[in-house]
């Protein structure tokens, strides 16, 4: 008999011991029945990330992140569900079978579609690569030679060439891809007349590869002067979102596995990455010309907590530095800025001063607060009284954000030296400075909201039932009403009990890992909260609280019906019901 999709997922989880898998990414320490670590999904110094090996799930008591082994791979590797399954299957030597049943048909179709798009992009990358060495791309090779890119590095990054607008669509169609697939992949576009064209026509091609080694998009640089943008990325598709990816993350991942990563250098463009990589700075990535996003920051954090931002040395680059640093810092990363000479980008610097020149800039990397003051200083002419005052006005709110009085004093001395204003006067003005909440807000891990007595009772009761504590055996969950995700948790427990056993990790298949209600319920499962006589007594109290809630709801509904009734017979019936509910409430 053919296994179902859910049965196959259970096999994948069984073949991938959760502690082994997570332990291959982060350091675990066993304490009692569980394993603990500092959470890989938010910054913390004291471990609050717990793995329950017996029940095959993890939960962070700091930020609320939770899930099974598939969820962990999905979140840590920043991949989609079926990609996470594929990673675990490769790890365990399993093949993903095909499924016919209804509950997996849609998922199988989505997987098949994305597999086709990934295959198409891989074939497209090969097409571009062959073009570069076909003898028809001398202009492209000459450009790369002029930029000082070695042939070995060209091949390392899979560089290619789009020679025209029509060859790629013809090649893809000849290889069995439909026009719809060509467009949905982002490799091709349609003209107003409905004709397929190469979306990167006439450009030097840089493949964008994800963390698991698949080509998901392309960057392209124009080879001739045009009114079109010099650089272009594949548009967002089902397999590529620019805001969720870092260029060169695939090679960064290899570096981490091979030697570990002291830091990641973050630059703006593809050629910056390629030049730095060739110069020996292998832990380098690019945000692909966009302002950094929270997802990109979280992706970087999976590989290193230390990030050096090295954007262009012009004012636009400096502004990008500040935005990037704010986002990275809020995600708990340790960030510094690499100051570059005005007008130079990392690629320019490497070509002019070589690896040693760039290494000297890395040695001068400075914290955010120092860099922001430097940026403010560059904007004003200190010889002019009004601009000097404007500098101080901009600099003091920055100083206000310093984490200690010592740091504030240091920065005030620096501002005093630049502006010629006394430290005493600056300190006096500093006391009157207010900083906006948006700038001073530190990204703290979300906490379980303060719940009322009934919600706390619901959470404890559901947690105890989810983990099949003996004192829950006689409880009929159908007697209670749970709302939202708590209702889904209760339904999962009821369904699992009917099958004979409640598997805690199975709740993630039903509910997902980003539910606040599930996080609140799982937060109960720490220490000895569910064990012993005190837990049993508390459980009994929770049952009473929830029974009282149900009775009060019934009482309110009965009184409402009583006020609406128009017949004496119906009124007597409702009054009897109200008295019975009141008696039950009195017993509780």
């Amino acid at each position: 008999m053919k296994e179902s999709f859910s049965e196959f997922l259970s096999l994948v989880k069984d073949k991938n011991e959760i502690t082994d898998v997570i332990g291959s990414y982060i350091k675990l320490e066993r304490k009692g029945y569980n394993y603990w670590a500092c959470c890989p999904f938010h910054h913390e110094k004291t471990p609050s990330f717990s793995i329950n090996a017996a029940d095959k799930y993890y939960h962070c008591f700091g930020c609320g992140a939770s899930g099974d082994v598939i969820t962990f791979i999905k979140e840590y590797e920043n991949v989609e569900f079926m990609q996470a399954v594929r990673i675990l299957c490769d790890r365990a030597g399993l093949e993903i079978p095909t499924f016919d049943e209804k509950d997996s048909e849609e998922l199988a179709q989505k997987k098949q579609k994305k597999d086709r798009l990934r295959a198409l992009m891989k074939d497209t990358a090969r097409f571009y690569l062959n073009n570069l060495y076909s003898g028809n791309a001398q202009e492209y090779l000459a450009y790369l030679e002029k930029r000082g890119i070695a042939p070995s590095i060209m091949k390392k990054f899979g560089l290619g060439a789009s020679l025209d607008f029509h060859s790629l669509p013809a090649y893809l169609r000849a290889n069995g891809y439909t026009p719809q697939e060509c467009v949905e992949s982002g490799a091709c576009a349609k003209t107003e007349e409905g004709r397929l064209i190469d979306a990167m026509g006439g450009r030097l091609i840089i493949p964008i590869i994800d963390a698991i080694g698949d080509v998901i998009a392309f960057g392209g640089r124009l080879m001739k002067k045009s009114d079109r943008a010099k650089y272009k990325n594949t548009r967002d598709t089902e397999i590529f979102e620019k805001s969720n990816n870092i260029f060169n993350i695939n090679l960064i991942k290899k570096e981490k596995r091979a030697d570990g990563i002291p830091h990641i250098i973050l630059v703006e463009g593809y050629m910056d990455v390629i030049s730095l990589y060739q110069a020996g700075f292998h832990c380098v990535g690019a945000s692909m010309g966009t302002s950094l996003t929270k997802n990109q920051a979280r992706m970087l954090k999976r590989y290193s907590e230390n990030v050096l931002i090295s954007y262009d040395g012009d004012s636009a680059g400096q502004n990008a530095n500040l935005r990037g640093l704010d986002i990275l810092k809020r995600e708990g990363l340790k960030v510094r800025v690499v100051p570059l000479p005005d007008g130079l980008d990392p690629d320019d610097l490497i070509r002019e001063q070589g690896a040693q020149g760039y290494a000297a800039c890395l040695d001068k990397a400075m914290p955010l607060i120092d860099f922001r003051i430097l940026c403010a200083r560059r904007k004003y002419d200190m010889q002019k009284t009004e601009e000097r005052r404007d500098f101080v006005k901009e600099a003091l709110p920055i100083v206000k954000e310093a984490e200690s009085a010592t740091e504030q004093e240091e920065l005030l001395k620096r501002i005093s030296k630049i502006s010629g204003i006394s430290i005493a006067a600056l300190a006096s003005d500093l006391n009157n400075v207010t900083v906006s909440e948006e700038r001073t807000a530190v990204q703290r891990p979300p906490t379980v909201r303060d719940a009322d007595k009934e919600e706390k009772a619901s959470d404890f009761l559901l947690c105890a039932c989810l983990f099949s504590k003996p004192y829950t055996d006689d409880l009929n969950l159908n007697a209670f009403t749970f709302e939202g995700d708590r209702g889904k948790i209760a339904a999962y427990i009821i369904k699992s009990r009917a099958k004979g056993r409640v598997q805690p990790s199975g709740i993630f298949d039903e509910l997902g890992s980003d539910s606040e209600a599930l996080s609140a319920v799982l937060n109960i499962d720490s220490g000895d909260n569910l064990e012993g006589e005190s837990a049993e007594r508390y459980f009994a109290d929770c049952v009473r609280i929830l029974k009282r809630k149900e009775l009060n709801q019934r009482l309110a509904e009965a009184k409402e019906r009583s006020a609406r009734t128009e017949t004496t017979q119906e009124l007597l019936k409702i009054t009897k019901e109200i008295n019975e509910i009141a008696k039950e409430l009195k017993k509780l």
Side-chain angles (χ1 to χ4, degrees):
M1 183 178 175
K2 197 171 187 180
E3 65 184 340
S4 68
F5 186 66
S6 58
E7 287 171 336
F8 176 70
L9 290 183
S10 296
L11 176 64
V12 172
K13 295 173 191 178
D14 288 342
K15 293 289 185 181
N16 287 276
E17 175 60 44
I18 190 167
T19 52
D20 291 342
V21 173
I22 297 180
S24 68
Y25 290 91
I26 59 176
K27 185 179 179 181
L28 304 180
E29 183 180 352
R30 184 162 191 169
K31 293 180 182 177
Y33 292 108
N34 289 356
Y35 290 80
W36 293 82
C38 287
C39 181
F41 304 119
H42 83 279
H43 180 65
E44 63 177 5
K45 294 180 180 178
T46 304
S48 62
F49 183 86
S50 174
I51 304 170
N52 186 320
D55 292 312
K56 302 177 183 178
Y57 81 97
Y58 65 87
H59 181 69
C60 177
F61 294 94
C63 71
S66 55
D68 56 21
V69 68
I70 299 175
T71 312
F72 180 85
I73 293 295
K74 178 176 175 289
E75 297 298 325
Y76 194 94
E77 294 280 11
N78 193 40
V79 296
E80 295 171 350
F81 179 81
M82 284 308 299
Q83 287 177 277
V85 171
R86 190 173 82 186
I87 289 170
L88 291 170
C89 285
D90 289 344
R91 187 179 184 277
L94 295 172
E95 288 188 12
I96 302 179
T98 55
F99 299 94
D100 298 324
E101 58 179 20
K102 275 187 177 180
D103 65 349
S104 65
E105 186 177 344
E106 186 179 345
L107 193 58
Q109 287 176 350
K110 286 181 179 178
K111 177 188 179 301
Q112 185 180 23
K113 180 179 179 180
K114 288 181 178 179
D115 284 348
R116 285 281 294 173
L117 296 182
R118 287 174 182 276
L120 186 153
M121 295 303 267
K122 186 176 181 180
D123 284 341
T124 301
R126 285 176 178 153
F127 173 81
Y128 288 143
L129 181 68
N130 291 335
N131 279 350
L132 188 63
Y133 301 103
S134 65
N136 299 317
Q138 294 307 316
E139 180 186 2
Y140 298 78
L141 291 170
Y143 170 79
L144 291 168
E145 185 179 350
K146 183 181 175 183
R147 297 290 296 251
I149 306 301
S152 61
I153 296 297
M154 295 182 205
K155 290 179 180 177
K156 185 86 174 177
F157 284 87
L159 303 186
S162 171
L163 303 177
D164 53 47
F165 283 89
H166 61 268
S167 299
L168 176 66
Y171 170 81
L172 293 175
R173 295 287 287 118
N175 278 271
Y177 295 106
T178 66
Q180 184 177 355
E181 288 172 332
C182 292
V183 173
E184 288 184 349
S185 69
C188 297
K190 270 191 177 181
T191 65
E192 290 182 1
E193 298 80 22
R195 185 166 47 89
L196 275 183
I197 59 170
D198 184 344
M200 290 287 166
R203 295 176 185 268
L204 176 73
I205 301 298
I206 303 104
I208 299 169
I209 301 171
D210 65 14
I212 61 173
D214 286 339
V215 178
I216 54 174
F218 299 100
R221 187 197 190 280
L222 275 178
M223 298 307 297
K224 295 178 181 178
K225 286 188 177 180
S226 169
D227 56 358
R228 292 185 290 154
K230 183 187 289 186
Y231 282 97
K232 180 182 180 181
N233 293 315
T234 300
R235 63 176 176 77
D236 282 3
T237 67
E238 286 192 49
I239 60 173
F240 172 66
E241 285 184 61
K242 186 164 63 171
S243 61
N244 288 342
N245 286 278
I246 297 289
F247 176 64
N248 198 43
I249 199 68
N250 55 312
L251 296 182
I252 289 173
K253 181 178 176 180
K254 286 182 180 178
E255 286 293 319
K256 180 176 181 181
R257 286 183 172 173
D259 303 312
I261 294 179
H263 57 245
I264 294 173
I265 301 168
L266 196 65
V267 296
E268 286 185 277
Y270 309 113
M271 298 311 295
D272 291 328
V273 170
I274 293 169
S275 291
L276 287 178
Y277 192 96
Q278 180 171 275
F281 303 95
H282 291 175
C283 301
V284 56
S287 56
M288 295 182 282
T290 63
S291 297
L292 274 173
T293 66
K294 187 181 291 187
N295 286 342
Q296 287 172 321
R298 289 175 177 175
M299 177 183 283
L300 291 169
K301 189 172 182 290
R302 290 167 193 153
Y303 299 96
S304 177
E305 289 193 344
N306 301 301
V307 177
L308 303 178
I309 293 193
S310 181
Y311 289 169
D312 295 359
D314 56 19
S315 58
Q318 291 167 4
N319 289 333
N321 270 332
L322 297 179
R323 291 193 299 273
L325 275 170
D326 281 338
I327 289 167
L328 292 169
K329 196 165 185 179
R330 288 190 203 113
E331 290 303 315
L333 286 150
K334 298 169 187 174
V335 289
R336 289 180 292 158
V337 179
V338 180
L340 298 180
D342 286 349
L344 294 184
D345 60 27
D347 178 38
D348 296 329
L349 191 61
I350 289 289
R351 283 190 281 160
E352 288 188 14
Q353 301 180 23
Q356 287 185 330
Y358 186 75
C361 291
L362 290 183
D363 290 339
K364 296 175 185 174
M366 62 181 71
L368 166 62
I369 200 162
D370 297 75
F371 182 75
R372 288 173 61 203
I373 289 175
L374 175 64
C375 287
R377 166 68 184 85
R378 287 173 174 173
K379 288 162 63 176
Y380 301 102
D381 183 350
M382 292 298 113
Q383 301 304 312
K384 297 178 181 178
T385 302
E386 189 175 345
E387 292 203 31
R388 195 162 58 242
R389 289 172 180 167
D390 287 340
F391 162 68
V392 171
K393 188 177 180 180
E394 182 174 337
L396 286 179
I398 299 172
V399 176
K400 193 79 169 183
E401 296 175 33
E403 295 179 358
S404 68
T406 304
E407 190 178 11
Q408 284 189 353
E409 185 179 343
E410 248 181 38
L411 295 171
L412 287 177
K413 285 179 181 177
R414 189 178 306 167
I415 294 169
S416 175
K417 187 176 180 180
I418 293 170
S419 65
I421 299 171
S422 72
I423 295 176
L426 292 171
S428 176
D429 286 346
L430 185 66
N431 290 330
N432 298 320
V433 170
T434 56
V435 184
S436 72
E437 289 183 11
E438 182 183 355
R439 284 218 52 84
T440 57
V442 177
Q443 184 76 9
R444 292 184 173 86
T447 55
V448 178
R449 61 188 176 83
D450 292 330
D452 58 22
K453 188 184 289 186
E454 290 172 352
E455 194 167 272
K456 286 181 178 179
S458 296
D459 291 345
F460 189 91
L461 184 144
L462 289 171
C463 188
C465 290
L466 188 63
F467 290 96
S468 303
K469 296 303 171 182
Y471 49 80
T472 69
D473 289 347
D474 297 328
L475 182 72
N476 178 15
L477 274 178
N478 285 309
F480 304 100
T481 303
F482 299 96
E483 297 178 354
D485 282 353
R486 287 176 176 83
K488 293 178 183 177
I489 297 169
Y492 170 74
I493 294 169
I494 292 167
K495 181 175 71 174
S496 299
R497 281 180 167 180
K499 293 179 179 178
R501 181 170 179 263
V502 181
Q503 177 101 8
S505 63
I507 189 64
F508 302 106
D509 296 335
E510 304 282 331
L511 198 58
S513 60
D514 56 354
S515 164
E516 286 188 18
L518 179 58
S519 180
V521 169
L522 292 176
N523 269 345
I524 305 295
D525 180 39
S526 64
D528 296 324
N529 286 345
L530 298 174
E531 307 299 335
E533 291 182 8
S534 60
E536 192 168 349
R537 285 196 299 273
Y538 185 67
F539 177 79
D541 288 340
C542 292
V543 171
R544 279 192 290 274
I545 289 168
L546 295 182
K547 280 183 176 178
R548 192 176 293 119
K549 174 188 172 185
E550 296 288 337
L551 289 169
N552 281 324
Q553 286 177 343
R554 283 175 54 198
L555 185 62
E557 289 169 3
K559 287 180 177 179
E560 189 178 339
R561 280 187 281 118
S562 172
R564 292 198 311 265
T565 188
E566 296 179 0
T567 66
T568 304
Q569 186 178 1
E570 182 67 19
L571 181 62
L572 288 172
K573 182 180 176 183
I574 295 173
T575 301
K576 183 180 179 183
E577 181 183 345
I578 289 173
N579 289 335
E580 287 175 352
I581 295 173
K583 287 179 184 177
E584 288 186 55
L585 278 169
K586 195 171 183 180
K587 291 177 185 177
L588 294 173

